[in-house]
Amino acid sequence: MSKARSYIKEHQLTNTIARKAALFLCCLLSLNGFSQTGEKTVEALVKMGFENVGWSENAKERVYVMENIAYRLNSIGIGKAVDVVQKIGLPDSKSCRLIFLDNNIPMISLCYQPVTGDSLTECNREDWKVSYDLGNNWREATKGKKNNRSLFKVDIVIYPDLSFQNYRLSKIYESLWELSPTIEVSLWKGMKFNGQITIPIVNDGYSAINDYVHPGYITLSQTIRLPHQIFLTGRAGFFSNYRWGFDVKGKHYFKDERFSVEARIGYTGRGYFDKFSFYHGKKWTLNGQLGGNFYWSKYNTQFSLKAERYLNEEYGARIDMIRHFRYASIGFYGMKVQYAGNKGFNGGFQFRIALPPYKYKRRGYIPRVLPSETFGLSYNAGNERYYGKGFNTEPDDNYLKENSFNPYFIKSELLNY
């Protein structure tokens, strides 16, 4: 009798060990399946041309990190990434987040939260929440291993430049046509170098300085992301409008992300290149701006109001209204500037369009040669030529590019593309 009981106990123990071993193997295979799903998704994104691609996962959320380089329109690139993740990269019964970078700085995230109780995971583009909020796990995801890194990769970007003015009664318009090849290099996280040469094509009435090949923008810029959705960028070098020096810009997006405030301060002197000789004055000027923005998401229209100090140390205010479309941004502006003509009032319109090709992948570390992402003009209706002037700090410093990471614009493009 005792031998029978001993046999039964041994048999029960063997069955218990076998069940636990089987459960452990099932869990291991399941985790391995999740890992393969994440790795396959990363491989697919890298094959499409995305850079700085990585992923991480915990008990509550899976996070993918990537930077869109191949698709010139950011909204289209983000949509392509969403489609890939929906097809092969969603986790089982947990949320999924996509974090998109700009020069390795996290900008926005898209989060999908499955509905509790659903037996099937069916995710569509409209199910993703787009926000500047990166969630709780973004630091771990962005610090992990990256595939297809952008570090030290070079773009040679050809910027077409057109300027025109109408200040002479004897001539309708004077124009200046230029091409400006620019070397753009990512040095480290948030750090970028721009080195530009300007080649004149037609100079009909502008300064003789523009008759010769000369340097354009030469800048180093560093961007960081601070807590509470604050972005800070500092730049040093040679800017537009014959300025050189330092510039710092900060922007904060509120919890209601339609609203934001921004500030900018620059300390610059006047300087210019005559051929490749640099001439400069001794006076340095402190200028800047402080203002707020509202984004009307229904019509993808941005409104901004800023108080500004300009290059001749005069003060003023400026209001902008810009409507954003997929391939273009078009708007109007108005100004009230100290000392300016027309009782200080001025205004005009502005536009910027995206240039093809709209897809252009890198081939390893071979430099890409491509046209600029955008081309635009601003028309000064009041014909003011002295007061109310500022400068740009980089060749791609414009409102169309800045709007490319706007969560409301991205969401509308996901639904309409």
Side-chain angles (χ1 to χ4, degrees), residues 52-72:
N52 302 317
V53 186
W55 77 292
S56 67
E57 187 170 19
N58 58 26
K60 296 182 178 180
E61 186 176 59
R62 178 181 292 182
V63 181
Y64 293 98
V65 179
M66 70 203 76
E67 184 165 347
N68 171 42
I69 297 295
Y71 297 90
R72 307 295 300 281

Side-chain angles (χ1 to χ4, degrees), residues 187-394:
L187 298 179
W188 56 75
K189 182 177 180 179
M191 172 64 79
K192 183 179 178 181
F193 169 77
N194 287 283
Q196 184 181 83
I197 294 294
T198 298
I199 303 171
I201 306 300
V202 176
N203 183 4
D204 183 20
Y206 276 69
S207 170
I209 297 173
N210 301 107
D211 285 334
Y212 305 99
V213 176
H214 59 276
Y217 293 91
I218 304 175
T219 64
L220 280 172
S221 65
Q222 176 68 62
T223 299
I224 59 174
R225 176 169 179 147
L226 301 175
H228 308 296
Q229 301 177 176
I230 298 174
F231 298 87
L232 190 65
T233 300
R235 298 183 176 98
F238 301 94
F239 308 136
S240 69
N241 210 3
Y242 308 116
R243 309 305 296 185
W244 69 299
F246 309 92
D247 185 86
V248 178
K249 180 179 180 180
K251 195 164 187 176
H252 167 58
Y253 296 91
F254 292 100
K255 188 173 182 180
D256 183 342
E257 295 174 342
R258 296 174 300 169
F259 295 91
S260 63
V261 291
E262 62 181 289
R264 177 181 174 184
I265 186 168
Y267 189 58
T268 62
R270 179 173 172 80
Y272 64 92
F273 287 94
D274 187 353
K275 300 180 183 177
F276 283 84
S277 298
F278 181 65
Y279 300 88
H280 63 89
K282 295 182 179 180
K283 183 179 180 181
W284 285 61
T285 302
L286 191 67
N287 59 279
Q289 57 185 216
L290 179 65
N293 307 280
F294 170 74
Y295 194 83
W296 191 4
S297 56
K298 182 178 180 179
Y299 296 105
N300 282 323
T301 301
Q302 179 179 337
F303 299 89
S304 64
L305 176 63
K306 299 183 181 74
E308 302 180 315
R309 190 176 196 254
Y310 303 104
L311 293 178
N312 293 302
E313 302 181 347
E314 74 277 27
Y315 293 88
R318 173 175 173 137
I319 185 171
D320 289 82
M321 182 192 74
I322 301 172
R323 175 77 183 272
H324 297 284
F325 302 91
R326 177 170 298 156
Y327 296 100
S329 296
I330 303 171
F332 301 91
Y333 71 92
M335 303 175 69
K336 178 68 167 69
V337 181
Q338 189 180 21
Y339 310 133
N342 299 317
K343 297 182 180 180
F345 291 98
N346 195 5
F349 67 86
Q350 53 195 337
F351 73 90
R352 188 159 288 274
I353 59 175
L355 298 178
Y358 299 117
K359 185 178 181 181
Y360 210 112
K361 293 197 298 184
R362 285 194 180 113
R363 305 295 178 184
Y365 282 87
I366 300 174
R368 293 190 302 180
V369 180
L370 64 163
S372 63
E373 293 185 7
T374 66
F375 171 78
L377 288 173
S378 179
Y379 182 70
N380 174 8
N383 228 16
E384 175 60 50
R385 58 184 306 182
Y386 187 71
Y387 295 106
K389 304 299 180 182
F391 60 89
N392 291 328
T393 55
E394 288 187 347

Side-chain angles (χ1 to χ4, degrees), residues 89-159:
L90 288 177
D92 185 26
S93 302
K94 67 174 71 173
S95 64
C96 183
R97 186 179 299 272
L98 314 183
I99 296 178
F100 288 90
L101 313 174
D102 184 24
N103 198 21
N104 247 320
I105 299 297
M107 301 298 292
I108 62 171
S109 76
L110 284 74
C111 184
Y112 167 68
Q113 183 68 51
V115 178
T116 304
D118 281 359
S119 58
L120 296 176
T121 300
E122 185 176 348
C123 178
N124 298 304
R125 283 188 170 192
E126 59 266 24
D127 298 324
W128 293 84
K129 178 183 177 182
V130 190
S131 174
Y132 289 108
D133 181 16
L134 304 179
N136 299 321
N137 306 313
W138 69 271
R139 293 186 184 277
E140 178 185 352
T142 55
K143 289 181 179 180
K145 177 186 174 183
K146 299 293 193 306
N147 294 268
N148 196 22
R149 295 175 64 87
S150 63
L151 187 67
F152 300 129
K153 291 184 178 179
V154 177
D155 284 341
I156 301 175
V157 185
I158 312 299
Y159 288 88

Side-chain angles (χ1 to χ4, degrees), residues 1-45:
M1 188 71 178
S2 60
K3 289 183 178 180
R5 289 178 180 176
S6 176
Y7 174 78
I8 293 172
K9 287 183 179 180
E10 289 179 0
H11 183 70
Q12 290 175 342
L13 179 62
T14 302
N15 287 340
T16 301
I17 294 174
R19 285 196 298 269
K20 290 184 177 180
L23 180 61
F24 174 77
L25 287 174
C26 287
C27 292
L28 186 62
L29 290 172
S30 178
L31 289 173
N32 186 49
F34 289 152
S35 178
Q36 289 179 354
T37 300
E39 292 297 335
K40 287 181 179 179
T41 305
V42 169
E43 290 175 5
L45 292 169

